[in-house]
Amino acid sequence: MPRLGTHAAWREAARALATTPPEAVDWGWQDRGASMFDAPLPVSSAALSVPKGFDALSRTLMAERTGEGFAVSHALLHRLQAERGLMSRRADPLVARAERVAKDVRRDIHKMHAFLRFKEVPGDGRRRRFAAWFEPSHRIEETTADFFVNRFGDMDWVIVTPEVTLRHLGGTLEMQAVASGRPDESDPLEQLWTTYYSNIFNPARLKLNAMRAEMPKKYWKNMPETAAIPGLVAEARKRVEAMQAAPMRAPRTAAPRQIAPIADDLPGLAVRLQACTACPIHCGATQAVMGEGRPQAPVMIVGEQPGDREDLVGRPFVGPAGQLFDQVAARAGLDRSACYVTNAVKHFKYIQRGKTRLHQRPDAAEIRACRSWLMQEIALVRPRLLVAMGGTAAEALTGRGTGVLARRGTLEETPFGLPVWITIHPSALLRMPDATARADARRQFESDLAAIPDMLKKQAE
Amino acid sequence: MAKMTIKDKLALLSDAAKYDASCASSGTSTRGSRDGKGLGSTTGSGICHAYAPDGRCISLLKILMTNYCVYDCAYCVNRVSSNVPRARFTVEEVVWLTTEFYRRNYIEGLFLSSGIIKSSDYTMEEMVRIAETLRKGGFRGYIHLKTIPDASPELIERAGLVADRLSINIELPTDASVKAYAPEKDPAGIRQAMGKVRLTKEDYSDRTHTGRRRGNFAPAGQSTQMIVGADAADDATILGNSTRLYSSYGLKRVYYSAFSPIPDSSSVLPLVDPPLMREHRLYQADWLLRFYDFSLDEIVTRDAGGMLDLEVDPKLAWALANRDRFPVDVNRAPKEDLLRIPGFGTRIVQRILKARRSGALGLEDIRRMGGRVRAARPFVVTRDHHPGARLDQADLRARFVKPKQMELF
């Protein structure tokens, strides 16, 4: 096989040899003195089809230094003609061997992407020019070239390896298979880079084996920063001991955080609410969510608790249930901007399911713990009518939260005599799987909301 | 005072940045400069360009814009009461260093953090200017910006539009520790800032009615870091906090950083060697929670003191404590059960599921597929292997515990 254009040449030959038993073929590299072909190739058989994944794998295997990759690829191709599912059988000794060889090549490719170091050299004045010397373990120059073309698009560069030279000049890539020796160049930036390398290292956490496992010594001689390693290691213990022996300093005593003065208005209440730790829900929440709306609104709409979005935004009724409420209220002729909307419980209670937070109903103790905040809101807004949406709100306002479906559309009272209009919570609509039941419930919810303006009018008379 | 050279500044400001664990440059959108009009590329997976003797990967130029700071966080080398020399990079210096290092293939991009100077907004604006200048100059590499929690939403939005990743450090595992050690920091404010980043990212990824996205906001998501071993928080608390951060704010990663001695340290903190093994176990446990469907109370319980086992990895510890769930038949068990076998990673499990369709697997097959047979052997049944009574042996755990060895350095 030729040193460059290996994959195309191999494919051409393999196409002809697909049905020839692998034992009968001796693959080799052209530059190792292998004669082209001892016997003429058979005429290419009918169009071959290979499963997904084979092309990429064989492409990787081509770069294997000893030529084992050619033989393994050929053996795979040969067996694939009869065994369609072979590629997914990782336990098959041949597939396992191919993957092992490919893994070794891939690692070499990855290390060339990572450890190759460019040095700046004089350019043509239009584009800056850089040169690099790298000694790969496998014949990966062709495979890696694309990475460097895609990454260093606006500069000219030359990558020289002992066997191949890659030239990227004016945006065009050229490859040549020529033997080269290591050039002697330096770049003043190497000193700055070594400064960075030496200082980003934490002497208190030496882990030399972890370093060597990922950056084997064979790469070190062409990486400028590695010259600093022996010194860094030798000094590490001393530096840590010096830190530990140094006199310790007491921290500046910080001024205590300003605690909000107790204020008899809604903004003051909101500030104090943020500090609430009366029940355990606060631990999991981002923030307490205060009600909002017209300060002296005649109607206060009370929902259950903030949901995922309300918890992040810090405002009530902005999530899916809140948006549904807005839609239904608008159709029912209820002007939300004339209301004050809030929740019975101020922090988001949830359980974690994988990466999402699922709403969880607050229990009686939590509703009780939060009730004083709701009562303070009522005292400051002084609404004429309370609307309890769902069981939690009904419980917080009337003391009884059960059987809301039976109670909806009725008027009850708070212990201190304020009227409470009972309806369902819009999130209940969102959860109903049955479309007809959902449409019914939505109509009822809409008629509940539509009744509110009339009730207010009657109250005013 | 003589003017500092860029080398002096680099030494100081990278030294100050080394306590940030993150160096990831993965998970962002794919870009390139094949067109010749810019510099740099990202492929989705990161590249480690070097490794330091502390075993950590060097992928990004990780520096502080300045190590002046008005805060006095006890665990931080840059706190206002610390005696360390101070320095500050100009916008142009950071841009120059990043692109020159990048051109030489030393780095994947920039991780920029900063002490807080003047005000949160002033500091954040300067950091955003650096990232914006890089992008205007055609830089297409990776940018990670550490955001300042109480910076204005407009600045966070600008940051997310030029950076690949945003992060805000939670620093300590409990609100009480933050209040005790970082008096100027507000844990609730940090969470609110994370919430804002999540919401902004979601807003940007929503498609408009024409099916287009508004823009690419922090495509590699957000991450955070917690310091381990500076306060008394146990592993259960730390991992509980992480799972909550993952689910609440959609974090890509929570980094755990073993607290290590710092120069000019504060007297309120311990100066012991960093608990590196504990840090390692936390990462393993974090992995089990995210990719192996373990729940928190399976991995660490308060009854067991709330700490992970330092001698064996958390999956093996779980298997040893739940032997009634084993042996698992590799050729029949569902995916969930395969994922719980010690020595099997997610990729091996995928391979097993595919391969067993065409015939029963033996131990040697599993070894060929890349499974760690030594760890799995007592817990699996295969075509040619049954652990028999080995699972009941009292000394099963001892077989996995390495004999103690003296540290070499």
Side-chain angles (χ1 to χ4, degrees), chain A residues 89 91 114 117 128 150-151 187 196-197 202 205 207 244 249 252 283 286 308, chain B residues 33 40 49 51 54 56 62 81 100 104 108 184 198 249 264 267 271 358 368:
Chain A
R89 288 207 293 278
R117 301 284 182 254
R128 291 173 65 183
N150 191 37
R151 170 154 298 194
D187 185 313
Y196 174 69
Y197 181 81
N202 185 346
R205 27 183 317 152
K207 271 186 168 179
Q244 286 169 334
R249 296 148 55 83
R252 190 181 60 166
C283 296
T286 303
D308 185 71
Chain B
S33 57
H49 283 275
Y51 289 80
D54 54 18
R56 286 181 169 184
K62 187 161 40 173
S81 64
E100 290 307 306
R104 286 158 180 82
E108 289 291 289
E184 286 96 348
R198 181 187 135 182
Y249 311 113
D264 197 39
S267 56
L271 276 183
S358 45
R368 273 199 290 270

mmCIF file of all heavy atoms in Angstrom, chain A residues 89 91 114 117 128 150-151 187 196-197 202 205 207 244 249 252 283 286 308, chain B residues 33 40 49 51 54 56 62 81 100 104 108 184 198 249 264 267 271 358 368:
data_model
loop_
_atom_site.group_PDB
_atom_site.id
_atom_site.type_symbol
_atom_site.label_atom_id
_atom_site.label_comp_id
_atom_site.label_asym_id
_atom_site.label_seq_id
_atom_site.Cartn_x
_atom_site.Cartn_y
_atom_site.Cartn_z
ATOM 1 N N ARG A 89 -21.258 -7.500 16.751
ATOM 2 C CA ARG A 89 -20.869 -8.544 17.713
ATOM 3 C C ARG A 89 -19.486 -8.254 18.261
ATOM 4 O O ARG A 89 -18.483 -8.797 17.816
ATOM 5 C CB ARG A 89 -20.910 -9.908 17.034
ATOM 6 C CG ARG A 89 -22.343 -10.376 16.773
ATOM 7 C CD ARG A 89 -22.437 -11.891 16.747
ATOM 8 N NE ARG A 89 -21.753 -12.502 15.619
ATOM 9 C CZ ARG A 89 -22.269 -12.605 14.398
ATOM 10 N NH1 ARG A 89 -23.472 -12.123 14.146
ATOM 11 N NH2 ARG A 89 -21.601 -13.177 13.430
ATOM 12 N N ALA A 91 -18.107 -9.213 20.787
ATOM 13 C CA ALA A 91 -17.433 -10.326 21.444
ATOM 14 C C ALA A 91 -16.697 -11.216 20.447
ATOM 15 O O ALA A 91 -15.851 -12.008 20.831
ATOM 16 C CB ALA A 91 -18.455 -11.153 22.217
ATOM 17 N N ALA A 114 -3.779 16.789 20.269
ATOM 18 C CA ALA A 114 -3.562 17.459 21.549
ATOM 19 C C ALA A 114 -2.141 17.958 21.738
ATOM 20 O O ALA A 114 -1.922 19.078 22.189
ATOM 21 C CB ALA A 114 -3.930 16.497 22.683
ATOM 22 N N ARG A 117 2.730 20.867 18.756
ATOM 23 C CA ARG A 117 2.970 22.262 19.124
ATOM 24 C C ARG A 117 3.496 23.031 17.929
ATOM 25 O O ARG A 117 4.536 22.667 17.354
ATOM 26 C CB ARG A 117 3.995 22.345 20.267
ATOM 27 C CG ARG A 117 3.597 21.619 21.536
ATOM 28 C CD ARG A 117 2.535 22.401 22.314
ATOM 29 N NE ARG A 117 2.176 21.747 23.554
ATOM 30 C CZ ARG A 117 1.022 21.088 23.761
ATOM 31 N NH1 ARG A 117 0.133 20.990 22.793
ATOM 32 N NH2 ARG A 117 0.767 20.535 24.916
ATOM 33 N N ARG A 128 0.261 34.688 8.638
ATOM 34 C CA ARG A 128 1.317 34.245 9.554
ATOM 35 C C ARG A 128 1.604 32.774 9.300
ATOM 36 O O ARG A 128 0.739 32.018 8.882
ATOM 37 C CB ARG A 128 0.895 34.493 11.000
ATOM 38 C CG ARG A 128 0.844 35.981 11.320
ATOM 39 C CD ARG A 128 0.270 36.239 12.676
ATOM 40 N NE ARG A 128 1.102 35.700 13.766
ATOM 41 C CZ ARG A 128 0.754 35.773 15.042
ATOM 42 N NH1 ARG A 128 -0.388 36.333 15.382
ATOM 43 N NH2 ARG A 128 1.555 35.280 15.973
ATOM 44 N N ASN A 150 -9.250 22.476 9.544
ATOM 45 C CA ASN A 150 -10.478 23.068 10.073
ATOM 46 C C ASN A 150 -10.201 24.015 11.227
ATOM 47 O O ASN A 150 -10.938 24.962 11.452
ATOM 48 C CB ASN A 150 -11.412 21.938 10.536
ATOM 49 C CG ASN A 150 -12.802 22.446 10.847
ATOM 50 O OD1 ASN A 150 -13.310 23.337 10.153
ATOM 51 N ND2 ASN A 150 -13.420 21.893 11.869
ATOM 52 N N ARG A 151 -9.128 23.765 11.958
ATOM 53 C CA ARG A 151 -8.849 24.577 13.144
ATOM 54 C C ARG A 151 -8.004 25.809 12.837
ATOM 55 O O ARG A 151 -8.259 26.886 13.344
ATOM 56 C CB ARG A 151 -8.156 23.719 14.208
ATOM 57 C CG ARG A 151 -7.610 24.526 15.364
ATOM 58 C CD ARG A 151 -7.497 23.753 16.631
ATOM 59 N NE ARG A 151 -8.789 23.277 17.106
ATOM 60 C CZ ARG A 151 -9.004 22.806 18.338
ATOM 61 N NH1 ARG A 151 -8.023 22.756 19.207
ATOM 62 N NH2 ARG A 151 -10.189 22.384 18.701
ATOM 63 N N ASP A 187 10.395 29.196 19.739
ATOM 64 C CA ASP A 187 9.382 30.239 19.676
ATOM 65 C C ASP A 187 9.376 30.927 21.033
ATOM 66 O O ASP A 187 9.303 30.254 22.066
ATOM 67 C CB ASP A 187 8.030 29.571 19.386
ATOM 68 C CG ASP A 187 6.910 30.584 19.187
ATOM 69 O OD1 ASP A 187 6.808 31.517 20.014
ATOM 70 O OD2 ASP A 187 6.149 30.442 18.219
ATOM 71 N N TYR A 196 2.745 29.532 32.332
ATOM 72 C CA TYR A 196 1.360 29.162 32.621
ATOM 73 C C TYR A 196 1.294 27.746 33.189
ATOM 74 O O TYR A 196 0.689 27.502 34.224
ATOM 75 C CB TYR A 196 0.503 29.265 31.356
ATOM 76 C CG TYR A 196 -0.901 28.759 31.566
ATOM 77 C CD1 TYR A 196 -1.790 29.469 32.377
ATOM 78 C CD2 TYR A 196 -1.339 27.571 31.008
ATOM 79 C CE1 TYR A 196 -3.072 29.007 32.613
ATOM 80 C CE2 TYR A 196 -2.619 27.092 31.238
ATOM 81 C CZ TYR A 196 -3.477 27.813 32.038
ATOM 82 O OH TYR A 196 -4.748 27.335 32.278
ATOM 83 N N TYR A 197 1.958 26.826 32.512
ATOM 84 C CA TYR A 197 1.948 25.419 32.920
ATOM 85 C C TYR A 197 2.418 25.263 34.362
ATOM 86 O O TYR A 197 1.843 24.515 35.143
ATOM 87 C CB TYR A 197 2.839 24.629 31.961
ATOM 88 C CG TYR A 197 2.915 23.149 32.234
ATOM 89 C CD1 TYR A 197 1.913 22.299 31.805
ATOM 90 C CD2 TYR A 197 4.006 22.602 32.909
ATOM 91 C CE1 TYR A 197 1.975 20.935 32.042
ATOM 92 C CE2 TYR A 197 4.079 21.245 33.153
ATOM 93 C CZ TYR A 197 3.061 20.409 32.717
ATOM 94 O OH TYR A 197 3.128 19.057 32.953
ATOM 95 N N ASN A 202 -1.124 22.660 40.928
ATOM 96 C CA ASN A 202 -1.313 22.797 42.362
ATOM 97 C C ASN A 202 -0.382 21.833 43.098
ATOM 98 O O ASN A 202 -0.581 20.625 43.058
ATOM 99 C CB ASN A 202 -2.777 22.508 42.707
ATOM 100 C CG ASN A 202 -3.076 22.756 44.178
ATOM 101 O OD1 ASN A 202 -2.162 22.884 44.998
ATOM 102 N ND2 ASN A 202 -4.354 22.835 44.507
ATOM 103 N N ARG A 205 -1.508 18.777 45.357
ATOM 104 C CA ARG A 205 -2.214 17.570 44.912
ATOM 105 C C ARG A 205 -1.436 16.809 43.839
ATOM 106 O O ARG A 205 -1.933 16.584 42.753
ATOM 107 C CB ARG A 205 -3.637 17.872 44.461
ATOM 108 C CG ARG A 205 -3.921 19.265 43.944
ATOM 109 C CD ARG A 205 -5.374 19.444 43.595
ATOM 110 N NE ARG A 205 -5.923 18.314 42.890
ATOM 111 C CZ ARG A 205 -7.190 17.945 42.917
ATOM 112 N NH1 ARG A 205 -8.059 18.636 43.618
ATOM 113 N NH2 ARG A 205 -7.620 16.915 42.234
ATOM 114 N N LYS A 207 -0.183 14.056 41.555
ATOM 115 C CA LYS A 207 -0.739 12.777 41.083
ATOM 116 C C LYS A 207 0.036 12.414 39.829
ATOM 117 O O LYS A 207 -0.466 12.550 38.718
ATOM 118 C CB LYS A 207 -2.221 12.941 40.742
ATOM 119 C CG LYS A 207 -3.186 12.716 41.890
ATOM 120 C CD LYS A 207 -4.591 12.771 41.334
ATOM 121 C CE LYS A 207 -5.632 12.285 42.317
ATOM 122 N NZ LYS A 207 -6.980 12.381 41.730
ATOM 123 N N GLN A 244 1.887 25.566 54.902
ATOM 124 C CA GLN A 244 1.312 25.108 56.155
ATOM 125 C C GLN A 244 2.008 25.746 57.355
ATOM 126 O O GLN A 244 1.396 25.935 58.396
ATOM 127 C CB GLN A 244 1.370 23.577 56.230
ATOM 128 C CG GLN A 244 0.334 22.956 55.298
ATOM 129 C CD GLN A 244 0.495 21.447 55.115
ATOM 130 O OE1 GLN A 244 1.581 20.922 55.258
ATOM 131 N NE2 GLN A 244 -0.592 20.786 54.771
ATOM 132 N N ARG A 249 -3.789 33.990 59.114
ATOM 133 C CA ARG A 249 -4.367 35.298 59.428
ATOM 134 C C ARG A 249 -5.861 35.151 59.658
ATOM 135 O O ARG A 249 -6.559 34.417 58.984
ATOM 136 C CB ARG A 249 -4.133 36.249 58.255
ATOM 137 C CG ARG A 249 -2.660 36.507 58.016
ATOM 138 C CD ARG A 249 -2.383 36.739 56.555
ATOM 139 N NE ARG A 249 -3.204 37.811 56.013
ATOM 140 C CZ ARG A 249 -2.900 39.085 56.119
ATOM 141 N NH1 ARG A 249 -1.800 39.456 56.737
ATOM 142 N NH2 ARG A 249 -3.688 39.992 55.606
ATOM 143 N N ARG A 252 -11.040 39.150 58.110
ATOM 144 C CA ARG A 252 -11.643 40.418 58.476
ATOM 145 C C ARG A 252 -13.041 40.122 59.003
ATOM 146 O O ARG A 252 -13.737 39.270 58.467
ATOM 147 C CB ARG A 252 -11.729 41.253 57.195
ATOM 148 C CG ARG A 252 -12.094 42.664 57.374
ATOM 149 C CD ARG A 252 -12.150 43.303 56.004
ATOM 150 N NE ARG A 252 -13.148 42.623 55.149
ATOM 151 C CZ ARG A 252 -13.592 43.127 54.018
ATOM 152 N NH1 ARG A 252 -13.121 44.261 53.566
ATOM 153 N NH2 ARG A 252 -14.497 42.489 53.302
ATOM 154 N N CYS A 283 -35.687 24.676 51.679
ATOM 155 C CA CYS A 283 -34.346 24.147 51.393
ATOM 156 C C CYS A 283 -34.154 23.831 49.910
ATOM 157 O O CYS A 283 -33.067 23.990 49.380
ATOM 158 C CB CYS A 283 -34.102 22.862 52.169
ATOM 159 S SG CYS A 283 -34.090 23.088 53.922
ATOM 160 N N THR A 286 -35.585 27.764 44.908
ATOM 161 C CA THR A 286 -34.686 28.849 44.542
ATOM 162 C C THR A 286 -35.007 30.107 45.339
ATOM 163 O O THR A 286 -34.127 30.789 45.832
ATOM 164 C CB THR A 286 -34.813 29.143 43.039
ATOM 165 O OG1 THR A 286 -34.542 27.950 42.325
ATOM 166 C CG2 THR A 286 -33.835 30.219 42.599
ATOM 167 N N ASP A 308 -42.235 24.962 38.764
ATOM 168 C CA ASP A 308 -40.845 24.997 38.321
ATOM 169 C C ASP A 308 -40.458 26.381 37.793
ATOM 170 O O ASP A 308 -39.450 26.953 38.171
ATOM 171 C CB ASP A 308 -40.647 23.927 37.240
ATOM 172 C CG ASP A 308 -39.206 23.808 36.790
ATOM 173 O OD1 ASP A 308 -38.392 23.315 37.576
ATOM 174 O OD2 ASP A 308 -38.898 24.221 35.658
ATOM 175 N N SER B 33 -12.841 26.828 11.099
ATOM 176 C CA SER B 33 -12.342 28.026 10.418
ATOM 177 C C SER B 33 -11.733 27.651 9.075
ATOM 178 O O SER B 33 -10.820 28.308 8.584
ATOM 179 C CB SER B 33 -11.308 28.741 11.293
ATOM 180 O OG SER B 33 -10.250 27.860 11.610
ATOM 181 N N GLY B 40 -9.729 28.756 14.742
ATOM 182 C CA GLY B 40 -10.246 27.868 15.759
ATOM 183 C C GLY B 40 -11.366 26.975 15.309
ATOM 184 O O GLY B 40 -12.001 27.185 14.284
ATOM 185 N N HIS B 49 -4.747 19.386 26.224
ATOM 186 C CA HIS B 49 -3.493 19.654 25.516
ATOM 187 C C HIS B 49 -2.247 19.341 26.334
ATOM 188 O O HIS B 49 -1.150 19.304 25.798
ATOM 189 C CB HIS B 49 -3.468 21.100 25.028
ATOM 190 C CG HIS B 49 -4.323 21.291 23.815
ATOM 191 N ND1 HIS B 49 -3.865 21.046 22.548
ATOM 192 C CD2 HIS B 49 -5.618 21.662 23.677
ATOM 193 C CE1 HIS B 49 -4.839 21.277 21.672
ATOM 194 N NE2 HIS B 49 -5.912 21.640 22.336
ATOM 195 N N TYR B 51 -1.008 17.716 30.588
ATOM 196 C CA TYR B 51 -1.408 17.324 31.935
ATOM 197 C C TYR B 51 -0.372 17.868 32.896
ATOM 198 O O TYR B 51 0.827 17.790 32.633
ATOM 199 C CB TYR B 51 -1.510 15.800 32.050
ATOM 200 C CG TYR B 51 -2.693 15.267 31.287
ATOM 201 C CD1 TYR B 51 -2.625 15.084 29.908
ATOM 202 C CD2 TYR B 51 -3.899 15.025 31.922
ATOM 203 C CE1 TYR B 51 -3.723 14.646 29.192
ATOM 204 C CE2 TYR B 51 -5.005 14.583 31.217
ATOM 205 C CZ TYR B 51 -4.912 14.401 29.841
ATOM 206 O OH TYR B 51 -6.003 13.982 29.138
ATOM 207 N N ASP B 54 -0.163 17.508 38.835
ATOM 208 C CA ASP B 54 -1.242 17.208 39.774
ATOM 209 C C ASP B 54 -2.296 16.305 39.128
ATOM 210 O O ASP B 54 -3.363 16.063 39.687
ATOM 211 C CB ASP B 54 -1.885 18.497 40.327
ATOM 212 C CG ASP B 54 -2.348 19.439 39.236
ATOM 213 O OD1 ASP B 54 -2.494 18.994 38.072
ATOM 214 O OD2 ASP B 54 -2.566 20.634 39.526
ATOM 215 N N ARG B 56 -4.108 16.859 36.638
ATOM 216 C CA ARG B 56 -5.229 17.540 36.008
ATOM 217 C C ARG B 56 -4.931 17.870 34.558
ATOM 218 O O ARG B 56 -3.800 18.169 34.192
ATOM 219 C CB ARG B 56 -5.562 18.832 36.759
ATOM 220 C CG ARG B 56 -6.247 18.566 38.068
ATOM 221 C CD ARG B 56 -6.581 19.864 38.743
ATOM 222 N NE ARG B 56 -7.479 19.645 39.880
ATOM 223 C CZ ARG B 56 -7.981 20.622 40.598
ATOM 224 N NH1 ARG B 56 -7.695 21.882 40.305
ATOM 225 N NH2 ARG B 56 -8.781 20.367 41.611
ATOM 226 N N LYS B 62 -6.708 28.994 31.693
ATOM 227 C CA LYS B 62 -7.567 29.303 32.840
ATOM 228 C C LYS B 62 -6.897 30.403 33.649
ATOM 229 O O LYS B 62 -5.878 30.174 34.290
ATOM 230 C CB LYS B 62 -7.744 28.022 33.667
ATOM 231 C CG LYS B 62 -8.718 28.143 34.772
ATOM 232 C CD LYS B 62 -9.240 26.801 35.283
ATOM 233 C CE LYS B 62 -8.238 25.701 35.382
ATOM 234 N NZ LYS B 62 -8.740 24.498 36.020
ATOM 235 N N SER B 81 -8.467 40.293 52.490
ATOM 236 C CA SER B 81 -7.524 40.338 53.613
ATOM 237 C C SER B 81 -6.252 39.528 53.341
ATOM 238 O O SER B 81 -5.399 39.420 54.189
ATOM 239 C CB SER B 81 -8.218 39.820 54.880
ATOM 240 O OG SER B 81 -8.563 38.459 54.727
ATOM 241 N N GLU B 100 -2.673 33.796 20.794
ATOM 242 C CA GLU B 100 -1.298 33.329 20.528
ATOM 243 C C GLU B 100 -1.103 31.901 21.043
ATOM 244 O O GLU B 100 -0.476 31.071 20.385
ATOM 245 C CB GLU B 100 -0.269 34.274 21.143
ATOM 246 C CG GLU B 100 -0.179 35.627 20.460
ATOM 247 C CD GLU B 100 0.048 35.532 18.954
ATOM 248 O OE1 GLU B 100 1.003 34.860 18.531
ATOM 249 O OE2 GLU B 100 -0.752 36.124 18.196
ATOM 250 N N ARG B 104 -0.650 28.210 18.643
ATOM 251 C CA ARG B 104 0.429 27.235 18.814
ATOM 252 C C ARG B 104 -0.099 25.869 19.254
ATOM 253 O O ARG B 104 0.655 24.983 19.599
ATOM 254 C CB ARG B 104 1.454 27.793 19.801
ATOM 255 C CG ARG B 104 2.284 28.893 19.133
ATOM 256 C CD ARG B 104 2.935 29.837 20.109
ATOM 257 N NE ARG B 104 3.697 30.861 19.391
ATOM 258 C CZ ARG B 104 3.172 31.965 18.849
ATOM 259 N NH1 ARG B 104 1.869 32.181 18.927
ATOM 260 N NH2 ARG B 104 3.936 32.839 18.215
ATOM 261 N N GLU B 108 -7.527 24.887 24.008
ATOM 262 C CA GLU B 108 -8.798 24.839 23.287
ATOM 263 C C GLU B 108 -9.550 26.163 23.366
ATOM 264 O O GLU B 108 -10.569 26.333 22.708
ATOM 265 C CB GLU B 108 -9.692 23.751 23.879
ATOM 266 C CG GLU B 108 -9.247 22.343 23.597
ATOM 267 C CD GLU B 108 -9.416 21.985 22.133
ATOM 268 O OE1 GLU B 108 -10.563 21.820 21.681
ATOM 269 O OE2 GLU B 108 -8.380 21.910 21.454
ATOM 270 N N GLU B 184 -19.826 37.766 52.242
ATOM 271 C CA GLU B 184 -20.446 38.675 51.273
ATOM 272 C C GLU B 184 -21.250 37.946 50.212
ATOM 273 O O GLU B 184 -21.925 38.564 49.410
ATOM 274 C CB GLU B 184 -19.386 39.532 50.566
ATOM 275 C CG GLU B 184 -18.801 40.634 51.420
ATOM 276 C CD GLU B 184 -17.485 40.175 52.051
ATOM 277 O OE1 GLU B 184 -17.168 38.977 52.012
ATOM 278 O OE2 GLU B 184 -16.782 41.031 52.602
ATOM 279 N N ARG B 198 -30.622 29.348 33.270
ATOM 280 C CA ARG B 198 -31.420 28.268 32.687
ATOM 281 C C ARG B 198 -32.577 28.838 31.870
ATOM 282 O O ARG B 198 -32.834 28.405 30.743
ATOM 283 C CB ARG B 198 -31.969 27.364 33.802
ATOM 284 C CG ARG B 198 -32.785 26.216 33.236
ATOM 285 C CD ARG B 198 -33.501 25.394 34.288
ATOM 286 N NE ARG B 198 -34.875 25.147 33.831
ATOM 287 C CZ ARG B 198 -35.784 24.495 34.540
ATOM 288 N NH1 ARG B 198 -35.479 24.051 35.743
ATOM 289 N NH2 ARG B 198 -36.983 24.323 34.076
ATOM 290 N N TYR B 249 -31.563 23.533 37.856
ATOM 291 C CA TYR B 249 -30.989 24.529 36.949
ATOM 292 C C TYR B 249 -30.410 23.903 35.688
ATOM 293 O O TYR B 249 -29.757 24.575 34.897
ATOM 294 C CB TYR B 249 -29.936 25.368 37.692
ATOM 295 C CG TYR B 249 -30.504 25.861 38.998
ATOM 296 C CD1 TYR B 249 -30.017 25.424 40.216
ATOM 297 C CD2 TYR B 249 -31.621 26.706 38.993
ATOM 298 C CE1 TYR B 249 -30.602 25.825 41.405
ATOM 299 C CE2 TYR B 249 -32.218 27.106 40.178
ATOM 300 C CZ TYR B 249 -31.698 26.665 41.384
ATOM 301 O OH TYR B 249 -32.304 27.048 42.545
ATOM 302 N N ASP B 264 -0.951 32.166 52.305
ATOM 303 C CA ASP B 264 -1.530 33.186 53.176
ATOM 304 C C ASP B 264 -2.942 32.805 53.585
ATOM 305 O O ASP B 264 -3.906 33.544 53.359
ATOM 306 C CB ASP B 264 -1.533 34.548 52.463
ATOM 307 C CG ASP B 264 -1.727 35.668 53.481
ATOM 308 O OD1 ASP B 264 -1.158 35.562 54.585
ATOM 309 O OD2 ASP B 264 -2.466 36.618 53.187
ATOM 310 N N SER B 267 -7.215 31.652 59.155
ATOM 311 C CA SER B 267 -7.115 30.773 60.316
ATOM 312 C C SER B 267 -8.381 29.969 60.567
ATOM 313 O O SER B 267 -8.400 29.109 61.419
ATOM 314 C CB SER B 267 -6.786 31.599 61.553
ATOM 315 O OG SER B 267 -7.755 32.609 61.710
ATOM 316 N N LEU B 271 -5.650 23.002 57.376
ATOM 317 C CA LEU B 271 -4.527 22.992 56.439
ATOM 318 C C LEU B 271 -4.025 21.586 56.189
ATOM 319 O O LEU B 271 -2.848 21.342 56.026
ATOM 320 C CB LEU B 271 -3.403 23.882 56.961
ATOM 321 C CG LEU B 271 -3.607 25.353 56.612
ATOM 322 C CD1 LEU B 271 -2.439 26.180 57.095
ATOM 323 C CD2 LEU B 271 -3.805 25.536 55.121
ATOM 324 N N SER B 358 -27.024 -12.331 19.247
ATOM 325 C CA SER B 358 -26.560 -13.394 18.352
ATOM 326 C C SER B 358 -25.813 -14.490 19.091
ATOM 327 O O SER B 358 -24.884 -15.072 18.567
ATOM 328 C CB SER B 358 -25.696 -12.789 17.245
ATOM 329 O OG SER B 358 -24.795 -11.872 17.788
ATOM 330 N N ARG B 368 -13.371 -9.278 26.078
ATOM 331 C CA ARG B 368 -13.061 -8.754 24.741
ATOM 332 C C ARG B 368 -13.839 -7.481 24.430
ATOM 333 O O ARG B 368 -13.381 -6.638 23.686
ATOM 334 C CB ARG B 368 -13.378 -9.819 23.676
ATOM 335 C CG ARG B 368 -12.225 -10.769 23.417
ATOM 336 C CD ARG B 368 -12.394 -11.470 22.099
ATOM 337 N NE ARG B 368 -13.506 -12.421 22.147
ATOM 338 C CZ ARG B 368 -13.376 -13.702 22.497
ATOM 339 N NH1 ARG B 368 -12.185 -14.181 22.783
ATOM 340 N NH2 ARG B 368 -14.417 -14.502 22.547
#
